[in-house]
Amino acid sequence: MLDILAITFPIYAAILIGYGVVAKGWFSGADMRTLGTYVLNIALPALLFKAVASRDLNEIFHPGYIAVFLVGGLATILVAYLWFTVTAPDAGRRAVATLGSSCPNSGFIGYPVMLLVFPDLAGVILALNFLVENIVLIPICLILMDWAKGGAHAGLGVRIAMLLWGLVKRPMVIGLLLGLVVSMVNLPIPPPALRLLDMLAASAAALSLVVIGGSLVGLPTKGNRALAGQIAVGKLVLHPVLVGLALLALPVAGLAVSPDLATAAVLSAAMPMFGIYAVLAQEQGLEGLASLAMLIATSAAFVTLSVLLYALT
């Protein structure tokens, strides 16, 4: 158990530090947003580029992992939407709840966890998760939110094209794509450039956790507590369970995944929802519900992640 705490304690200690420095007024919420922008637009793109560009393409592409994470995520969207059709009173809440149940925080929480559990694979795991989440899972959930507003029926193709174009312009996607190009053409990276990338990448893990903690301060928590609890359960329990079931079904498709990557897939699915969840929920006027769900999930994940780590490692 001490080995498990050696992983989860640093993660949540850093989150508590972030919460504390904002609660004490040493940093402001605006400071956290600035630091978060740095992580998203500089540190994580550098990390993704280096993780992909410095490896052979065969070391990066793991079809079994991608299949498991994709199928588990799609199954979570389906089951969550059906469940919230029963428990949520309107389409907007169903869409927001489904988004929260199926889109983990792979960058700000998942990567620091993987860095402690699988240090040699953490960058590759982040890249694979990022591909599945940003190209498939998040766009589907955003389309469900558009449908809830009546906006996607008339132009679904246009909406998908706009979402994908918006993704391509993100620095993290640019870093990942550039890394893939460098890997494919086997272009050597000069040592000074590698050292710079290492410096930037090293700043991602601790800073991202501090940002998560600071971002929890002052979140609006007026909302349906029962529904927020269901969203947290969906994210922390349903999603990893369905990814685990996808793992069991993987041999049927003739695919395989290493034990480390199998563990990483389940752990990745067990992360709390991503940091901009409440921002996206504002479109439905449900930022209070989303913030409450994120607060519950982020807090409860200390227990659920510890249990999973104990069971899987």
Side-chain angles (χ1 to χ4, degrees):
M1 193 61 189
L2 288 177
D3 292 340
I4 304 304
L5 288 176
I7 296 170
T8 53
F9 173 77
I11 299 296
Y12 275 83
I15 291 175
L16 285 173
I17 288 171
Y19 188 93
V21 297
V22 174
K24 285 289 186 181
W26 298 346
F27 286 82
S28 67
D31 293 331
M32 291 296 109
R33 287 189 290 274
T34 300
L35 293 174
T37 300
Y38 162 79
V39 172
L40 281 173
N41 294 340
I42 297 178
L44 285 177
L47 187 158
L48 284 167
F49 175 82
K50 199 243 178 192
V52 174
S54 60
R55 296 172 183 262
D56 184 86
L57 200 60
N58 291 329
E59 297 179 63
I60 304 163
F61 187 63
H62 296 279
Y65 184 96
I66 293 172
V68 163
F69 202 63
L70 175 61
V71 171
L74 291 173
T76 303
I77 290 174
L78 176 61
V79 174
Y81 193 80
L82 292 174
W83 172 259
F84 291 119
T85 297
V86 176
T87 64
D90 57 70
R93 284 177 173 79
R94 286 197 293 275
V96 168
T98 302
L99 176 68
S101 298
S102 54
C103 297
N105 197 331
S106 293
F108 280 70
I109 300 180
Y111 173 71
V113 171
M114 296 304 161
L115 196 60
L116 294 175
V117 183
F118 305 114
D120 295 334
L121 291 172
V124 173
I125 292 166
L126 175 62
L128 295 173
N129 290 352
F130 184 76
L131 279 173
V132 174
E133 291 163 17
N134 287 273
I135 294 178
V136 182
L137 303 184
I138 294 175
I140 288 175
C141 291
L142 292 179
I143 289 168
L144 290 177
M145 291 176 67
D146 267 7
W147 268 331
K149 296 187 297 182
H153 296 287
L156 180 58
V158 173
R159 177 58 172 160
I160 293 174
M162 289 175 61
L163 285 170
L164 293 177
W165 176 241
L167 289 170
V168 169
K169 294 189 295 183
R170 291 183 181 182
M172 289 178 67
V173 174
I174 293 171
L176 177 58
L177 294 178
L178 286 176
L180 285 171
V181 171
V182 171
S183 177
M184 284 189 291
V185 301
N186 200 25
L187 184 68
I189 305 173
L194 275 176
R195 285 193 288 272
L196 172 61
L197 291 169
D198 284 336
M199 287 171 54
L200 294 173
S203 67
L207 191 54
S208 65
L209 293 169
V210 171
V211 168
I212 284 293
S215 301
L216 294 176
V217 178
L219 284 177
T221 56
K222 292 182 179 179
N224 187 324
R225 294 180 182 273
L227 185 57
Q230 292 172 44
I231 297 170
V233 170
K235 184 75 238 27
L236 301 181
V237 179
L238 176 66
H239 194 181
V241 165
L242 291 178
V243 168
L245 291 176
L247 273 170
L248 295 177
L250 193 63
V252 177
L255 296 172
V257 63
S258 70
D260 284 351
L261 285 177
T263 299
V266 177
L267 285 175
S268 294
M271 299 299 157
M273 59 281 290
F274 56 171
I276 61 168
Y277 176 49
V279 176
L280 295 175
Q282 285 178 352
E283 297 180 11
Q284 305 286 338
L286 295 170
E287 62 272 19
L289 171 66
S291 298
L292 184 57
M294 189 164 67
L295 183 61
I296 294 170
T298 304
S299 303
F302 178 78
V303 176
T304 57
L305 284 176
S306 297
V307 170
L308 264 180
L309 284 165
Y310 182 77
L312 297 175
T313 60

